[in-house]
Amino acid sequence: GVSLGGMAAWAASDRNAEYGGGLELVGTAAMVPVSDMSGLADAAANGTLTRAQYPLLMYALHTLAISHPEMNLDDYRSGLARERWDDFMECVPPKSDDVPGLLARLQASDLTPVSAEATDRLRGYLSDMALPQQRSTTPLLVMYGSEDDLILEPWTEKALQRACDSGDLVEYELHQGEGHGDLDSSRSLPWVKGMFAGQRP
C-alpha cells in the first residue's frame, strides 16, 4: 500500500494475529505510510504545518469528530477553514475547480488549536490511531522519503522505532531526495513476491 494505503497495509500486519481468520499473511509492504500523524497537533499549534498537511489535518479532524462526538471541531478550525469546511470535505465539490484556490487561501491560523489543552487532546487522539499498536507476526517493508512534506521523516522513524522495539521484523529504506508522491517503490513488488517464495528479510 502507498500513503493511506500504506497505513492500511501496515495495520493489516499489525492486526494479523487477531483478525482475518482463514488468511495467511506472508509479509507487508508499506510505502510512505501515514503511520503516525500525532505530529500534526504540534505543527498546527506552532504554525509549522506544510501546505501538503493542511488537507491531511482537516480530513483527520473530520474523521475524529465522527469517532469522538464529544470533540468540538471549532477548537481546531477558524476563518476560511470553518467557513468553507463542507466544501473542503466534499470528495468532488459542486465547484471542484475552486478547491485548489481555496487551499491556496488557507492560512496556518485557520487550523490553529484554540488552546494547549485542545492541542493535547488532538495529539492524544492521533496517537491512538498511530502504528504500530502491537507486535506484527510477519515481516514488514517500509519505504519512505527524506523530502516527504506530508508525513515527515522523523514521524515515520518514530513508528519504525516502536516497531523495532516491540520485536517486529522490519526492513526499511530511507530514499534520499524523494518525497511522498515521487518515491521509487519498484523494489516492493519483488520483495512481496519473495515473501510468497519463502524468502525472509
Side-chain angles (χ1 to χ4, degrees):
V2 180
S3 191
L4 286 171
M7 182 184 197
W10 193 336
S13 176
D14 197 61
R15 304 275 173 93
N16 182 53
E18 63 186 25
Y19 185 79
L23 301 177
E24 183 183 347
L25 187 68
V26 297
T28 304
M31 282 70 73
V32 291
V34 181
S35 51
D36 189 340
M37 294 184 284
S38 58
L40 285 173
D42 293 305
N46 299 333
T48 57
L49 288 168
T50 67
R51 280 277 160 191
Q53 290 170 341
Y54 285 12
L56 178 64
L57 175 58
M58 288 190 288
Y59 294 143
L61 288 170
H62 185 71
T63 301
L64 289 169
I66 295 170
S67 56
H68 297 275
E70 74 282 3
M71 177 179 151
N72 183 0
L73 260 180
D74 290 339
D75 285 349
Y76 304 98
R77 63 181 184 177
S78 60
L80 185 64
R82 183 177 178 181
E83 293 165 18
R84 303 293 298 273
W85 189 260
D86 290 344
D87 291 329
F88 285 121
M89 291 303 107
E90 286 283 344
C91 181
V92 183
K95 296 180 180 178
S96 56
D97 57 337
D98 187 36
V99 172
L102 280 177
L103 283 170
R105 287 165 46 204
L106 269 179
Q107 301 296 317
S109 58
D110 295 331
L111 294 169
T112 302
V114 295
S115 66
E117 292 76 17
T119 302
D120 291 343
R121 279 194 301 274
L122 178 57
R123 189 187 309 106
Y125 290 148
L126 293 172
S127 294
D128 289 344
M129 295 168 53
L131 294 168
Q133 296 284 333
Q134 53 202 11
R135 186 172 181 181
S136 178
T137 58
T138 57
L140 177 67
L141 171 67
V142 176
M143 304 169 78
Y144 61 111
S146 65
E147 303 305 310
D148 194 328
D149 61 351
L150 189 69
I151 301 300
L152 305 185
E153 177 186 338
W155 298 4
T156 300
E157 291 178 345
K158 182 177 166 186
L160 286 170
Q161 187 63 59
R162 287 196 304 271
C164 291
D165 288 347
S166 71
D168 287 359
L169 180 56
V170 185
E171 185 174 349
Y172 55 90
E173 291 183 0
L174 172 62
H175 289 219
Q176 292 292 340
E178 296 179 17
H180 200 79
D182 63 353
L183 186 101
D184 177 6
S185 59
S186 57
R187 199 176 76 81
S188 62
L189 189 57
W191 187 91
V192 169
K193 288 181 176 179
M195 294 302 103
F196 278 106
Q199 299 173 15
R200 285 297 174 264

